[in-house]
Amino acid sequence: MALQASMIVDKDFILDEVDPRIYGSFIEHLGRAVYGGIYEPSHPTADECGFRRDALEVIRRLQVPIIRYPGGNFVSGYNWEDGVGPQSERKQKLELAWWTTETNQVGTNEFADWAKLAGTDVMMAVNLGTRGADDARNLVEYCNHPSGSYWSDLRISHGYKEPHRFKTWCLGNEMDGPWQIGAKTAVEYGRLANETAKVMRWVDPNLELVACGSSSSGMATFADWEATVLDLSYDQVDFLSLHTYYNNNENNSENFLARSLDMDQFISTVASICDYVKAKKRSKKKLYLSLDEWNVWNSIGTSRATERWQIAPAEFEDTYTLEDALAVGCFLITMLKHADRVKMACMAQLINVIAPIMTENGGPVWLQTTYYPYLHASLYGRGKVLHPVIRSPKYDSKDYTDVPFLEAISVYNEEQSQITVFAVNRHLSETLDLDINLRSFCEVRLVEHLVLEHDDLKATNTKLHPENVIPHNQGTARMEEGHVQARLSKSSWNVIRLDVIKE
Ligand code: AHR
């Protein structure tokens, strides 16, 4: 007999509204993300600005609400002035985060143009590694002030009469990491973040600001860093960042698919620290979380390109398996489970660098396995998250106990009268029979049951075989007396879509 699991989907069990920005992404001046990814003037599909239309098309399909830019580690040595003004006059510079040569052909204005084409907002990051409050407030003035000041008039002279009005800004990147250009102690960073935030807001009071949390929960300073930084900057910031990457380099799939339990714990812990500082300060303000770097990163730790000062060398071009896509699905479900706290998140990164989308210079674009759970969550995971009331058989893995074979969540989109259930069957060899009780809805119709699966857990999509792992809509879900009954294949990502006919 197949394993049995059940869940209750009740419209009164509202956790919170999903902030669509949890489906954000990230493009850094790293590897071929910018040059060869979104921008390649000599590519046959390039538009008049040099942007690859083929890449834009598959990015638009994702409906990415926000993209973090320009870094990442890159931002901590970046002088944004190098990337504005006539492209022919821009200087090539040594880029010290990744030991490459930065041509500066793409900078703030080009990225703003591209983001418009991609239909996304920009989450800007300022350099708090080699620079500080002065350059940050100049950049805000350049980007967001309408006119009548030195920096805003400079932007106008560069051909951008209308301000970009970027709202969301990161106060540096991973400032706790020894690898970071200009890394800082928590006290140094907390003070700097506070003062920088203050003057940035004086230039533009509409800003929404993100302070750096730890680079990962594995940092020796984790938790102390968060508490100290917030102690020094709580009133000036709106979000605290979390970064987390996972890999299966030990080749233990049961354990790897349970890594979302670590993400879950990480989110809960950081939320508790925020609330501790809130209590200490007798503050009324709730701080939200920005999981602005997360993904599977199997090539992590392989360091920089061996030959220094290349222009846009191929770096961190991980090829993702079905198993990686299932892990990504579990991470997305985990974020949805924390929809009341995680209000922004960026899959790191979007194209060519640990990314769901790959390109070849001068060649085609193709979609990795991880593209699909990301696409489904972004398209169908908007609305209200309903508390997951789930029963599932469990297993123990090397690092985790009581791992449910079923990882699932439901989202109710009242405006469109739709319910979506996202579900991963973590079992590597057994199907899982899922009963979904829809007791609070009078009449519901099954729209489709999408499934991402493959006989081989290690199956990938490549340039030559781009459609080896793609979703189908032949899932087994069916309606039966107000319940959905679905048999979830072993190691599968499932999206069960329902229309509410009568509440
Ligand atoms: O996303 C790749 C890198 O990972 C980023 O530059 C950095 O912030 C993180 O360590």
Side-chain angles (χ1 to χ4, degrees):
M1 196 165 99
L3 295 165
Q4 312 283 321
S6 64
M7 82 188 273
I8 298 172
V9 172
D10 190 315
K11 65 175 167 17
D12 294 325
F13 292 178
I14 296 168
L15 174 70
D16 207 347
E17 188 78 32
V18 177
D19 188 325
R21 293 181 300 176
I22 67 167
Y23 306 121
S25 192
F26 176 30
I27 292 181
E28 175 171 3
H29 283 248
L30 161 59
R32 297 189 310 116
V34 173
Y35 307 109
I38 61 167
Y39 179 83
E40 193 182 345
S42 60
H43 193 271
T45 71
D47 68 9
E48 59 292 353
C49 300
F51 299 128
R52 283 183 66 147
R53 286 196 184 90
D54 58 347
L56 256 173
E57 193 203 315
V58 295
I59 291 170
R60 268 201 221 109
R61 239 189 270 163
L62 287 169
Q63 297 187 15
V64 188
I66 193 162
I67 300 184
R68 187 164 174 254
Y69 175 84
N73 296 343
F74 170 82
V75 80
S76 297
Y78 183 47
N79 294 345
W80 64 268
E81 303 87 334
D82 293 341
V84 296
Q87 281 170 308
S88 58
E89 290 169 24
R90 295 189 197 165
K91 299 174 181 66
Q92 291 207 155
K93 290 221 170 148
L94 297 187
E95 198 291 291
L96 298 186
W98 303 108
W99 297 349
T100 57
T101 299
E102 172 57 49
T103 64
N104 284 306
Q105 287 307 292
V106 171
T108 305
N109 294 321
E110 289 77 24
F111 194 75
D113 289 341
W114 178 85
K116 271 203 194 104
L117 295 172
T120 185
D121 284 338
V122 180
M123 179 193 216
M124 283 289 279
V126 297
N127 173 357
L128 293 188
T130 57
R131 303 186 121 186
D134 193 34
D135 301 291
R137 58 108 185 214
N138 292 346
L139 180 56
V140 177
E141 183 180 319
Y142 180 89
C143 293
N144 287 8
H145 194 67
S147 65
S149 68
Y150 175 76
W151 293 108
S152 58
D153 289 345
L154 186 66
R155 183 199 68 242
I156 293 168
S157 77
H158 290 158
Y160 293 83
K161 184 161 183 307
E162 286 306 312
H164 298 310
R165 296 197 179 88
F166 298 138
K167 184 173 161 91
T168 312
W169 295 68
C170 299
L171 298 162
N173 176 69
E174 296 190 348
M175 299 309 303
D176 60 329
W179 60 86
Q180 201 68 213
I181 303 170
K184 303 201 165 23
T185 65
V187 172
E188 287 166 346
Y189 173 68
R191 289 279 304 132
L192 181 61
N194 189 67
E195 293 309 304
T196 305
K198 198 170 80 184
V199 295
M200 286 170 75
R201 271 192 215 286
W202 284 349
V203 179
D204 181 350
N206 299 316
L207 301 188
E208 191 175 54
L209 300 173
V210 186
C212 293
S214 297
S215 307
S216 78
S217 59
M219 298 296 289
T221 48
F222 172 58
D224 264 350
W225 170 276
E226 278 73 4
T228 307
V229 166
L230 288 184
D231 212 17
L232 295 166
S233 64
Y234 197 86
D235 293 338
Q236 289 294 345
V237 302
D238 308 289
F239 287 86
L240 186 65
S241 78
L242 291 82
H243 289 184
T244 187
Y245 294 100
Y246 299 95
N247 65 69
N248 188 15
N249 293 340
E250 60 179 10
N251 200 16
N252 179 340
S253 301
E254 282 92 353
N255 206 42
F256 176 57
L257 292 180
R259 291 283 183 219
S260 57
L261 274 64
D262 179 88
M263 178 189 267
D264 184 76
Q265 183 62 47
F266 185 29
I267 294 170
S268 299
T269 306
V270 176
S272 305
I273 301 169
C274 293
D275 291 344
Y276 158 73
V277 180
K278 178 183 176 196
K280 197 173 154 194
K281 290 186 177 291
R282 276 78 176 151
S283 173
K284 288 200 164 57
K285 178 168 128 184
K286 181 172 178 181
L287 216 75
Y288 290 103
L289 306 184
S290 170
L291 226 170
D292 50 42
E293 285 190 34
W294 70 271
N295 207 347
V296 175
W297 186 354
N298 288 311
S299 66
I300 197 165
T302 51
S303 168
R304 305 153 167 117
T306 36
E307 191 194 324
R308 291 190 187 200
W309 317 131
Q310 299 173 73
I311 295 173
E315 289 210 75
F316 309 122
E317 301 201 355
D318 290 23
T319 300
Y320 289 116
T321 61
L322 169 68
E323 166 180 79
D324 296 326
L326 300 182
V328 162
C330 290
F331 297 140
L332 288 161
I333 291 171
T334 303
M335 284 177 230
L336 285 168
K337 284 183 177 169
H338 289 275
D340 54 338
R341 209 64 202 241
V342 177
K343 294 290 180 188
M344 284 196 293
C346 304
M347 187 194 221
Q349 302 193 7
L350 186 58
I351 186 159
N352 287 337
V353 176
I354 39 171
I357 299 167
M358 297 301 295
T359 67
E360 184 180 66
N361 291 351
V365 64
W366 66 97
L367 310 177
Q368 299 234 47
T369 57
T370 52
Y371 182 91
Y372 296 103
Y374 182 38
L375 172 76
H376 295 153
S378 177
L379 296 192
Y380 307 125
R382 300 180 188 218
K384 294 189 172 78
V385 177
L386 303 177
H387 274 286
V389 184
I390 291 175
R391 279 194 188 177
S392 167
K394 295 178 176 162
Y395 69 97
D396 291 344
S397 71
K398 179 174 147 274
D399 298 321
Y400 306 94
T401 48
D402 288 334
V403 184
F405 283 112
L406 174 70
E407 188 62 78
I409 194 79
S410 60
V411 180
Y412 178 34
N413 188 326
E414 240 174 321
E415 272 164 36
Q416 298 184 7
S417 300
Q418 286 175 349
I419 305 166
T420 305
V421 175
F422 298 106
V424 172
N425 177 6
R426 285 192 175 100
H427 206 296
L428 302 181
S429 55
E430 300 279 327
T431 53
L432 186 66
D433 281 347
L434 172 61
D435 170 283
I436 306 172
N437 184 339
L438 297 159
R439 63 188 187 187
S440 66
F441 297 94
C442 277
E443 198 184 338
V444 164
R445 186 179 64 89
L446 180 74
V447 177
E448 61 178 345
H449 176 181
L450 298 164
V451 187
L452 190 70
E453 61 181 335
H454 198 284
D455 283 345
D456 180 5
L457 199 56
K458 305 290 179 184
T460 58
N461 293 337
T462 58
K463 187 184 91 169
L464 295 180
H465 301 284
E467 300 200 336
N468 188 31
V469 189
I470 55 170
H472 64 79
N473 63 0
Q474 302 302 306
T476 58
R478 62 181 201 285
M479 292 302 302
E480 220 177 271
E481 294 171 11
H483 288 226
V484 173
Q485 304 291 346
R487 177 158 284 187
L488 309 185
S489 314
K490 64 167 180 154
S491 327
S492 61
W493 160 257
N494 300 268
V495 183
I496 298 173
R497 300 182 54 226
L498 306 159
D499 272 347
V500 177
I501 310 295
K502 202 161 141 210
E503 268 208 9

